[in-house]
Amino acid sequence: MSFTNEELAVMDSIIARYPKSRSAIMPLLHYVQSIDGYVTARGIETIAEKLNLATAEVTAVSTFYTQYKSEPVGEYHVGICTNTLCAIMGGDAIYESVCDRLGIKKDQTTADGKVSLERIECNAACDYAPVVMVNWEFYDNQTPASVNNLVDAIREGNPPAPTRGPSTLRTWKENSAVLAGLSDGLSEEGVQAGAPSLLGLNIAKSQGKK
Amino acid sequence: MSILKPVLSAHWDEPDSFTIAAYKRHGGYKPLAKALKSTPDEVIALVKESGLRGRGGAGFPTGSKWGFIPQGDNKPHYLVVNADESEPGTCKDIPLLMANPHALIEGIIIGSYAIRANHSFIYIRGEVVHVFRRVQKAIDDAYAAGLLGKNILGSGFDLELTLHAGAGAYICGEETALLDSLEGFRGQPRLRPPFPAIAGLYAMPTVVNNVESIASVPSIIANGADWFQAMGTEKSKGYTLYSLSGHVTNPGQFEAPLGITLRQILELAGGIRAGHELKFWTPGGSSTPMFTAEHLDVPLDYEGVAAAGSMLGTKALQIFDETTCVVRAALRWVEFYKHESCGKCTPCREGTWWLVQLMKDLEAGKGTEADLEKLLDLCDNIAGRSFCALADGAVSPIISSLKYFRAEYILHQTNGGCPFDPVASTLFETAGA
Amino acid sequence: MTPEQAVVAVETVSAVIDGAEVTVPKGTLIIRAAEQLGIAIPRFCDHPLLAPEGACRQCLVDVSINGRAFPKPQASCTMPVENGMVVNTQLTSPVAAKAQEGIMEFLLINHPLDCPICDKGGECPLQNQAMSAGRPESRFEGEKRTFEKPINISSQVLLDRERCVLCARCTRFSEQIAGDPFITLNERGALQQVGIYENQPFESYYSGNTVQICPVGALTGSSYRFRARPFDLVSVNSACEHCASGCDLRTDIRRGKTLRRLGGDDPAVNQEWNCDKGRWAFKYLTTRERLKTPLVRGADGELHEASWPEAIAAAAAGLKDKRVGVLAGGRLTHEDAYGYSKFARVALGTNDIDFRARPHSDEERDFLATVVTNLKTTYIDIDNADQVLLASFEPEEESPIVFLRIYRQVTKRGLVVTSDAPLASRGSKKLAAHLVKGLAEVSGLTAQSVILVGERAAETPGALSAVFELSQSTGAKLAWIPRRAGERGALAAGAIGNLLPGYRPLSDAAARVDLQSAWGVKTLPEDPGRSTSEILAALNDESLDAVLIGGVDPMDISAQALNQLLNTFVVSLEISNTAVTAIADVVLPVAAVVEKSGSYLDWRGIARSFDKGIDDVDLRSDVRILSILADEMGKPINLPTVTATTREIESLGTWDGVQPAFAKRTANPASSDGFTLVSWRFLLDLGSLQQGEANLAGTAKDARAHISSATAASLGVTEADSVVISSERGSIELPVSIRAIADNLIWVPRNSEGSQVIPALGFTSGSVKVAKR
């Protein structure tokens, strides 16, 4: 089954952003994930055709980057940071605990298709450790209990808002569309900064007043 | 007077700090207007004079980098911003872009003007959707305000700016891998020469700069080179973002002149978490050799950290207290580098595969002292033998941890396993206990 | 001094490697400069014909420039030599030696210990260099990376990912040299692996080269897998019999049987590459249809095995003093073609000889004798061309090494390629060829341009004249590139009715006298000979009595050709049972390429000689048999061996007098209503020399009928449908492919499975009816 004419037109608009069409391969893969949830055969074949590439050249790229999934993931893709700092400060315990809670391990999806799990690398929020990402939105300063509550709420259809992100948690597909450069209009939602980001500023200000 | 110097972070505490209105409210985009009234060469000269050095880790002078772009060559030039912040411990660009994306946009416009680029790119890691939203909106608003597109502020200068999401590959923080990735290839590093200044994006002259470096440019234009020069140390000028994380009372961002020490920052942050003491720390991310308490007074500038045997890197100060097993920490970092090795060259691809297995054995107490010699020899066969610097980073935690904590490695062997309680290192140890 | 002889001053640089000074052209890599000194730096990813990669890191050496040492060892495969450079390889630098030893140890930790069952064992760069540059014992005690053992990435190529060292030679070859990036590096880090996209196999015409350049046993060919040990093989130099590109090959033989063929190293021609047909199509030598014993038709009307004297006597009796035509075929060696040519003139007293076993024309015959005889164009001219015009010529399908040469210039410097063709083939697209519909649309040719015209130009009246005119008016260099390996040699041998050996014009009395004296004969026939189609017609109407046929498939000529042979005396020299041997009166088995020595003249007219690899007393070269037959007829041609023939050809030399002028024809555009069929052959198809190799056939392109979108709409078909294409003779049915092609044209492959146009439709181009199936 091929993509709709509207979807193909979006692909053309993505290609048009770049001086050379091949550069569009990554946003196109994000876009395919926003429709199909993962990198499907029709996605690879369509991108190859659009960019005048061999299909192997597209798979060479899609398999290089960990955000592109060759199998379907959950509607909510949960990434537990288990890089050194987060792991030591609790990420490993969070991971173990959430595996037990969901009955799945990394790179697996719950039977209801709601939640998939990944051990992720450093997500550039170390001052908020331990960090958990859901659909690549920040859930800061997590504990095993908070993440268990988080996945429970997701499965109940009532996920809490990210710590630093939009007011409601968007799905994997919806966020994939954002990464393809298709705005969802939510940029102004959520905080501008969490407390750790403001720590130095606040100290400087208080010292300046003295 | 505070030792801190919030510039980029000066208004992060305002809830709308990321909007163009807030940015303009604090004088934003005035430096751009000023820059557009100078010649591009004057802008380059000013940035050179300021002493601004790359904030992505290598510390190369930004103005010089711009100056390498051949002029009058009738080729397209490109400015590419490296927002692929992924080095473990590094967490400065992401909050900057979340709270203040227009500082980057303005810096890009000025930098593009200086190097005569008419199309620039921001390559941002894909795992930060909300940051992507903020930057995309900032770009859209800049276009709407006539700050991007044709004839910017009536100057005759045109600039297109494209935001490009990565998709999970640390190696794309390496500038040539980033360019290959942006061109739609696997993000594997390129042979150099030719360097990006001669043949970068689409084989055209290209500057690749870190987010923080470019975002610093408007402040230099606004306040002058002397203002910037007045901060910092002899060869490390200006202010920068230090990111404190780990076993501290208060982790967070500290914007300060270069040369501040960890001791000074820790004092501001309330010290190591209560009841614990500093064991080891990284000055600039996991690839920079670790330090211990004996390095608390090392000036955190390019020269000071190098003189003490490490690198300033991204000023990612990851703090670990005495509850932390250094073997476990080093193992986890090596696992990271193994996961992120692009696979192109043998020592990195195969070496990290082997190192992880050896380190796992050592952590599990299965090694012997001879294995430590083997480990060091393998590191010697990896470091400086690989295609890019990723593998140098991979061996750095091993070599430096063995340097300071060899006894702890041996303790694992005599103990028949890891002597540490991982729960003790967690932030919720009391909750978990 | 001609411009070609002018030596361009090459800037050189000098360096010291392991204490020895070396001077090399600027830009030379350290690893190459070391080779000049006889210093072998171990390497895997490095390949002189591929862009430097620097991936394997095996070639690390210590380098300093003007006394300033690099802080760490450098990859000698990526760093050019500079003046003042001092290089210390593993021979003189302990740091370099340790670095190399370390890399080798890393390469081996995940390499399986299956050398005893690996095809590469015994000729494996990894094995060899592990011995020379590796540690005696591995220190690795961990877990090896495992993958599913070999997977087919095409029907012909197998991939064992465990053995792969990720040098990327195969992927770089496929992308950089062949333009077929169907295999790529996939995944990342320690899991990086070569692979294909699951729905698109590695079906490149050049895939075999990746097997050849793989420095380990990761890529193997199905047909050679588990067949031999390198030390059991005897290698002989070969020239490829499959097309006119002129590839140098190496044939590896074990106990009288060809086991594999490899691309040989000839920088002027095929560099180190060849195509999969040249590499893998050799099983025709050993099919069940192979002939080893002469056959003579008995009184009972059946063919019976006969002794050589019996068969020769029967052939001689049927040919002697008869009016005989000779159909030599396009696959002969130069020496064998010379044998047919001399046999026709001396033993049969006729010029009724033609090597063209395919659609042909009188215009073409004149063009060959008057124009092609003077052509001097070579591969170098392609390298230096400012434009290449392809006229009725699809290089990737019809001369694949010529294609590689053009492609290299397209990728390297954007060489402009123009193709006069009805649609853009895949090859054409890879060359980014500008398509023209007729030579009148061609522009921009200069004296630095090259026009490559194919044999199919003979099918369009006036085309060869127009090509000649274009070359004359622009000064562009011209080359005629036939599809078959033997045609150029057959032309030089005079195996055609208007030309005598050594390009001697038949019409020139001085040329005839020159040949008469060389051959020691009193007279030579003067009347221009018949062409292939005229010979067939004459046999049919009995104005000829008999025919001598070399390797010819009548269906390559026309649908009627076989019938035209039915009522005449036929002597067939063949390697296998064919349609011709079935109706022949005498069948004389002959040696195939590897069973004899000889040479082909490639499209440049340059000899590509090869040695005998298999000695089979039952099989002789055509020329030897023709010489015996001539003796039996009492009209000796004195060509007892290939060597003697080569000597005679050499001493005869080529004609240095003027050639007659080419009598140009004007185009006579045939108008037809309805659809016109156009076609050419795919490289891999049902050709008789590809018989017996199913793995190769498995990579052939599928036949599809190419029509325009407007045509598809008018026929009411999509790419999911098939069409029936019919002529008065018959029809073929093919699935549809919608392409940019004129609305009145339909293109099909000429000789592929399900699409054999001559037997089915009776012609290669002409008016057809097309309907939805």
Side-chain angles (χ1 to χ4, degrees):
Chain A
M1 208 182 73
S2 61
F3 293 100
T4 66
N5 287 336
E6 291 73 26
E7 289 162 346
L8 294 171
V10 170
M11 292 187 191
D12 290 336
S13 75
I14 290 171
I15 294 167
R17 293 177 198 155
Y18 296 93
K20 294 202 175 179
S21 63
R22 185 169 177 147
S23 283
I25 192 166
M26 292 181 72
L28 288 176
L29 285 164
H30 283 304
Y31 183 59
V32 164
Q33 297 207 127
S34 80
I35 301 165
D36 291 347
Y38 66 106
V39 179
T40 50
R42 70 169 187 161
I44 288 168
E45 287 160 20
T46 305
I47 291 171
E49 196 182 320
K50 287 261 176 212
L51 303 181
N52 197 21
L53 298 173
T55 45
E57 293 176 288
V58 181
T59 48
V61 172
S62 69
T63 57
F64 186 85
Y65 300 93
T66 49
Q67 277 185 289
Y68 299 132
K69 306 299 181 190
S70 59
E71 303 282 337
V73 293
E75 192 179 345
Y76 296 92
H77 185 65
V78 176
I80 317 290
C81 180
T82 52
N83 199 296
T84 301
L85 188 123
C86 277
I88 284 171
M89 295 176 72
D92 278 354
I94 292 170
Y95 173 73
E96 296 296 330
S97 151
V98 79
C99 281
D100 287 349
R101 187 68 153 214
L102 293 171
I104 57 171
K105 295 206 173 324
K106 65 180 168 125
D107 308 323
Q108 294 179 343
T109 306
T110 53
D112 60 4
K114 280 279 182 193
V115 182
S116 50
L117 211 54
E118 179 176 345
R119 288 169 67 113
I120 62 167
E121 300 296 1
C122 183
N123 221 87
C126 311
D127 43 350
Y128 297 91
V131 172
V132 168
M133 307 298 291
V134 182
N135 297 339
W136 308 115
E137 303 284 6
F138 286 109
Y139 286 83
D140 299 333
N141 302 114
Q142 295 298 297
T143 65
S146 70
V147 177
N148 285 346
N149 291 339
L150 174 61
V151 296
D152 288 352
I154 287 172
R155 299 183 80 182
E156 286 157 14
N158 185 29
T163 320
R164 289 174 293 145
S167 311
T168 48
L169 177 60
R170 311 278 286 173
T171 65
W172 166 263
K173 288 183 182 178
E174 287 168 336
N175 273 0
S176 293
V178 174
L179 295 178
L182 307 174
S183 174
D184 60 6
L186 303 182
S187 69
E188 305 207 345
E189 292 187 4
V191 297
Q192 83 287 4
S197 302
L198 301 176
L199 179 62
L201 174 63
N202 289 336
I203 292 170
K205 278 191 166 178
S206 66
Q207 287 179 335
K209 280 178 195 148
K210 278 178 199 167
Chain B
M1 262 303 276
S2 173
I3 192 172
L4 299 175
K5 180 69 189 174
V7 178
L8 295 174
S9 63
H11 309 290
W12 290 5
D13 54 348
E14 297 173 19
D16 66 345
S17 68
F18 51 85
T19 64
I20 192 165
Y23 188 66
K24 284 188 166 176
R25 190 160 72 223
H26 296 292
Y29 289 110
K30 283 184 183 155
L32 171 63
K34 188 173 167 188
L36 291 175
K37 290 196 183 84
S38 333
T39 66
D41 286 342
E42 285 166 357
V43 175
I44 294 177
L46 181 70
V47 173
K48 270 188 190 169
E49 197 192 332
S50 75
L52 174 65
R53 292 168 66 175
R55 302 297 194 232
F60 194 85
T62 304
S64 300
K65 210 175 202 181
W66 293 5
F68 291 150
I69 297 296
Q71 294 305 330
D73 55 355
N74 291 318
K75 288 179 180 173
H77 299 172
Y78 297 104
L79 174 66
V80 178
V81 171
N82 183 347
D84 192 50
E85 183 168 66
S86 307
E87 164 90 356
T90 307
C91 51
K92 63 189 181 67
D93 296 337
I94 292 304
L96 166 58
L97 294 174
M98 183 93 96
N100 188 14
H102 283 284
L104 176 66
I105 310 296
E106 185 176 17
I108 289 171
I109 305 167
I110 295 168
S112 300
Y113 174 70
I115 67 162
R116 286 88 161 172
N118 297 111
H119 197 157
S120 293
F121 296 85
I122 302 169
Y123 185 106
I124 187 168
R125 65 180 302 183
E127 302 100 321
V128 286
V129 175
H130 204 53
V131 181
F132 189 98
R133 286 190 189 95
R134 290 265 163 92
V135 178
Q136 185 65 64
K137 179 73 160 84
I139 293 172
D140 294 346
D141 288 349
Y143 268 105
L147 299 163
L148 284 169
K150 297 281 177 205
N151 192 20
I152 294 166
L153 299 179
S155 64
F157 174 60
D158 303 336
L159 180 66
E160 300 300 322
L161 178 57
T162 303
L163 179 62
H164 183 96
Y170 164 70
I171 186 60
C172 293
E174 196 281 339
E175 65 174 7
T176 63
L178 184 151
L179 293 175
D180 256 27
S181 180
L182 184 51
E183 286 187 19
F185 294 88
R186 297 158 63 74
Q188 296 191 322
R190 296 177 180 176
L191 273 178
R192 284 178 295 192
F195 289 90
I198 304 301
L201 187 64
Y202 311 125
M204 295 301 159
T206 300
V207 166
V208 183
N209 279 143
N210 170 259
V211 169
E212 189 190 346
S213 315
I214 288 288
S216 302
V217 169
S219 70
I220 293 169
I221 301 289
N223 302 301
D226 291 345
W227 167 81
F228 195 78
Q229 282 250 6
M231 290 178 273
T233 56
E234 189 191 344
K235 291 180 180 166
S236 302
K237 300 296 185 190
Y239 61 88
T240 193
L241 282 161
Y242 292 91
S243 309
L244 186 70
S245 61
H247 291 137
V248 292
T249 307
N250 295 306
Q253 304 297 322
F254 295 83
E255 204 170 5
L258 280 156
I260 194 170
T261 66
L262 179 61
R263 188 184 301 280
Q264 290 171 308
I265 293 174
L266 276 178
E267 274 167 17
L268 297 172
I272 301 295
R273 64 174 177 159
H276 297 278
E277 61 190 41
L278 175 63
K279 180 173 177 182
F280 62 94
W281 57 289
T282 67
S286 58
S287 64
T288 59
M290 63 177 63
F291 279 160
T292 65
E294 69 183 87
H295 304 97
L296 275 168
D297 297 311
V298 170
L300 296 176
D301 62 7
Y302 298 101
E303 292 70 33
V305 180
S310 187
M311 291 172 289
L312 182 64
T314 53
K315 305 140 297 162
L317 312 167
Q318 302 176 92
I319 311 297
F320 298 91
D321 67 20
E322 84 292 341
T323 64
T324 311
C325 170
V326 78
V327 183
R328 176 183 173 207
L331 164 63
R332 197 54 64 88
W333 277 320
V334 180
E335 284 181 314
F336 165 77
Y337 289 106
K338 177 196 166 198
H339 184 249
E340 299 299 335
S341 167
C342 81
K344 179 170 180 152
C345 78
T346 307
C348 181
R349 181 186 68 240
E350 308 296 335
T352 53
W353 170 277
W354 192 350
L355 288 179
V356 164
Q357 297 199 28
L358 260 181
M359 288 293 291
K360 275 186 175 167
D361 280 353
L362 290 168
E363 199 215 358
K366 286 190 272 186
T368 65
E369 211 168 338
D371 285 335
L372 300 182
E373 297 314 310
K374 182 158 97 179
L375 187 63
L376 281 173
D377 189 58
L378 293 185
C379 290
D380 183 55
N381 287 345
I382 294 169
R385 308 294 182 256
S386 54
F387 193 92
C388 77
L390 187 145
D392 295 349
V395 301
S396 161
I398 297 179
I399 294 175
S400 59
S401 63
L402 264 169
K403 178 176 168 187
Y404 299 115
F405 302 101
R406 190 184 179 93
E408 191 169 312
Y409 278 83
I410 294 170
L411 184 61
H412 280 71
Q413 296 165 9
T414 53
N415 190 53
C418 182
F420 289 86
D421 173 13
V423 175
S425 319
T426 65
L427 288 193
F428 36 83
E429 56 171 314
T430 45
Chain C
M1 203 158 69
T2 64
E4 286 91 316
Q5 288 167 317
V7 178
V8 183
V10 178
E11 196 184 340
T12 60
V13 288
S14 296
V16 173
I17 304 179
D18 289 342
E21 183 144 342
V22 63
T23 300
V24 290
K26 194 167 194 266
T28 303
L29 299 167
I30 294 172
I31 199 168
R32 298 274 106 69
E35 284 169 6
Q36 287 192 19
L37 293 170
I39 298 165
I41 301 170
R43 83 287 302 264
F44 295 102
C45 67
D46 171 69
H47 191 286
L49 297 176
L50 302 175
E53 185 77 352
C56 78
R57 317 305 289 173
Q58 187 58 57
C59 67
L60 295 171
V61 295
D62 259 347
V63 181
S64 68
I65 301 174
N66 295 325
R68 283 178 48 201
F70 281 86
K72 46 194 187 183
Q74 300 295 304
S76 59
C77 71
T78 59
M79 184 175 271
V81 173
E82 288 180 36
N83 281 321
M85 188 180 261
V86 174
V87 176
N88 292 99
T89 74
Q90 72 278 8
L91 302 178
T92 54
S93 160
V95 173
K98 178 173 189 290
Q100 293 181 11
E101 199 179 275
I103 299 296
M104 183 62 73
E105 189 179 26
F106 288 138
L107 281 174
L108 292 174
I109 64 169
N110 277 313
H111 194 79
L113 296 170
D114 62 353
C115 304
I117 57 154
C118 177
D119 285 331
K120 204 77 176 184
E123 57 177 9
C124 175
L126 180 62
Q127 211 174 33
N128 295 342
Q129 294 179 135
M131 294 297 172
S132 62
R135 299 167 60 91
E137 290 279 342
S138 172
R139 293 177 293 174
F140 183 67
E141 297 163 334
E143 201 173 316
K144 279 183 190 280
R145 183 170 58 226
T146 55
F147 287 110
E148 185 188 341
K149 272 295 187 181
I151 51 174
N152 265 105
I153 53 174
S154 74
S155 64
Q156 188 60 263
V157 181
L158 291 146
L159 168 66
D160 184 326
R161 288 165 294 176
E162 291 183 348
R163 293 178 185 159
C164 179
V165 292
L166 283 319
C167 70
R169 280 187 184 179
C170 57
T171 53
R172 281 181 291 151
F173 170 85
S174 300
E175 186 201 344
Q176 296 170 13
I177 306 293
D180 293 331
F182 307 144
I183 50 170
T184 46
L185 289 171
N186 295 338
E187 304 293 340
R188 191 173 79 193
L191 294 178
Q192 186 177 247
Q193 54 193 275
V194 173
I196 55 171
Y197 172 60
E198 54 189 353
N199 299 337
Q200 185 176 11
F202 182 32
E203 285 169 1
S204 163
Y205 285 158
Y206 307 95
S207 68
N209 294 292
T210 64
V211 174
Q212 184 168 340
I213 61 175
C214 179
V216 295
L219 291 169
T220 51
S222 300
S223 58
Y224 179 70
R225 191 169 161 75
F226 297 145
R227 295 292 298 280
R229 282 293 171 205
F231 43 78
D232 289 332
L233 299 172
V234 176
S235 300
V236 292
N237 293 323
S238 297
C240 188
E241 73 273 32
H242 286 292
C243 85
S245 287
C247 286
D248 185 61
L249 298 185
R250 189 183 103 191
T251 301
D252 284 355
I253 294 158
R254 188 184 60 188
R255 302 181 61 167
K257 198 167 176 184
T258 300
L259 284 189
R260 66 172 175 183
R261 301 208 303 189
L262 305 163
D265 188 0
D266 186 340
V269 180
N270 55 312
Q271 305 190 297
E272 295 178 27
W273 319 124
N274 73 339
C275 74
D276 286 1
K277 183 152 95 175
R279 181 177 304 267
W280 282 315
F282 57 81
K283 293 273 176 66
Y284 68 90
L285 288 165
T286 48
T287 63
R288 271 188 289 176
E289 299 301 323
R290 190 67 204 278
L291 283 164
K292 294 240 171 152
T293 311
L295 304 170
V296 175
R297 197 166 295 279
D300 59 356
E302 299 294 316
L303 282 173
H304 297 282
E305 291 197 345
S307 70
W308 274 102
E310 279 174 311
I312 292 290
L319 297 178
K320 192 172 179 185
D321 301 327
K322 297 284 171 51
R323 297 170 300 168
V324 184
V326 180
L327 300 177
R331 300 190 191 114
L332 298 172
T333 63
H334 189 196
E335 292 78 6
D336 286 339
Y338 182 81
Y340 282 89
S341 178
K342 190 173 181 185
F343 187 87
R345 272 65 185 234
V346 174
L348 301 172
T350 182
N351 288 314
D352 287 342
I353 177 168
D354 199 341
F355 62 82
R356 295 172 299 167
R358 53 175 174 77
H360 54 278
S361 70
D362 288 347
E363 179 190 5
E364 182 197 33
R365 190 164 67 169
D366 284 358
F367 176 80
L368 294 176
T370 59
V371 177
V372 175
T373 47
N374 293 315
L375 298 180
K376 303 268 187 292
T377 308
T378 72
Y379 282 105
I380 305 287
D381 297 312
I382 295 173
D383 294 347
N384 297 329
D386 61 1
Q387 183 179 173
V388 169
L389 169 63
L390 310 173
S392 302
F393 179 53
E394 290 294 329
E396 191 171 35
E397 307 291 354
E398 297 174 316
S399 204
I401 297 304
V402 173
F403 173 85
L404 289 192
R405 200 67 167 232
I406 302 171
Y407 183 69
R408 171 139 187 80
Q409 297 305 320
V410 170
T411 55
K412 188 173 155 188
R413 59 183 177 89
L415 169 64
V416 175
V417 178
T418 306
S419 178
D420 180 15
L423 83 168
S425 62
R426 175 165 158 73
S428 221
K429 286 179 185 164
K430 286 201 278 182
L431 298 176
H434 169 61
L435 222 57
V436 292
K437 308 268 185 277
L439 295 171
E441 289 182 25
V442 175
S443 63
L445 289 179
T446 72
Q448 218 187 315
S449 307
V450 171
I451 304 171
L452 304 177
V453 59
E455 64 182 35
R456 286 181 289 109
E459 298 168 31
T460 309
L464 288 165
S465 299
V467 160
F468 178 69
E469 178 60 38
L470 203 51
S471 150
Q472 292 280 297
S473 63
T474 59
K477 296 180 181 70
L478 180 61
W480 175 72
I481 307 190
R483 222 175 44 81
R484 289 186 171 129
E487 294 211 357
R488 194 67 164 80
L491 182 68
I496 194 160
N498 60 346
L499 200 64
L500 296 168
Y503 302 135
R504 285 168 175 76
L506 177 72
S507 56
D508 190 325
R512 292 198 306 275
V513 170
D514 179 52
L515 190 63
Q516 274 167 217
S517 80
W519 279 353
V521 294
K522 292 198 182 66
T523 58
L524 285 171
E526 293 177 25
D527 293 341
R530 292 174 168 95
S531 69
T532 297
S533 51
E534 288 165 349
I535 289 169
L536 288 165
L539 291 165
N540 200 39
D541 68 15
E542 299 182 11
S543 46
L544 285 176
D545 305 318
V547 64
L548 172 70
I549 308 186
V552 169
D553 180 347
M555 278 304 170
D556 287 344
I557 305 168
S558 70
Q560 303 79 30
L562 190 62
N563 286 336
Q564 290 170 318
L565 297 170
L566 285 178
N567 299 311
T568 194
F569 184 79
V570 176
V571 176
S572 166
L573 275 66
E574 255 298 357
I575 59 167
S576 294
N577 286 313
T578 65
V580 172
T581 61
I583 56 130
D585 296 281
V586 180
V587 177
L588 303 171
V590 293
V593 166
V594 74
E595 298 150 352
K596 63 186 178 186
S597 61
S599 64
Y600 292 108
L601 299 193
D602 62 22
W603 62 271
R604 303 170 300 167
I606 294 176
R608 313 296 296 164
S609 58
F610 58 89
D611 301 330
K612 183 195 272 193
I614 296 172
D615 210 357
D616 188 329
V617 291
D618 292 329
L619 297 171
R620 300 167 176 85
S621 199
D622 298 48
V623 66
R624 165 92 175 114
I625 292 165
L626 292 170
S627 191
I628 294 168
L629 184 56
D631 288 344
E632 180 78 11
M633 291 165 69
K635 295 181 178 173
I637 59 171
N638 301 316
L639 298 170
T641 63
V642 171
T643 313
T645 309
T646 308
R647 267 203 304 271
E648 184 167 313
I649 292 170
E650 273 170 15
S651 73
L652 198 57
T654 52
W655 179 243
D656 51 8
V658 286
Q659 297 286 357
F662 176 42
K664 282 179 283 186
R665 270 63 156 191
T666 49
N668 179 21
S671 66
S672 73
D673 36 281
F675 290 102
T676 300
L677 180 86
V678 286
S679 69
W680 54 72
R681 288 182 62 163
F682 283 147
L683 180 72
L684 300 179
D685 64 3
L686 298 174
S688 44
L689 296 189
Q690 297 166 61
Q691 286 171 11
E693 185 45 79
N695 294 325
L696 178 64
T699 68
K701 292 176 185 164
D702 291 336
R704 295 184 82 94
H706 296 187
I707 54 175
S708 71
S709 53
T711 303
S714 71
L715 294 172
V717 295
T718 68
E719 294 204 331
D721 298 314
S722 290
V723 288
V724 176
I725 306 153
S726 51
S727 70
E728 286 178 7
R729 181 181 168 87
S731 67
I732 55 180
E733 180 189 318
L734 289 174
V736 168
S737 176
I738 296 170
R739 301 288 206 86
I741 184 172
D743 293 341
N744 62 332
L745 298 182
I746 179 163
W747 183 92
V748 301
R750 191 168 279 191
N751 192 34
S752 293
E753 190 72 49
S755 185
Q756 291 183 279
V757 298
I758 294 178
L761 301 174
F763 47 69
T764 57
S765 51
S767 185
V768 288
K769 292 198 174 74
V770 181
K772 182 179 180 179
R773 183 184 170 268

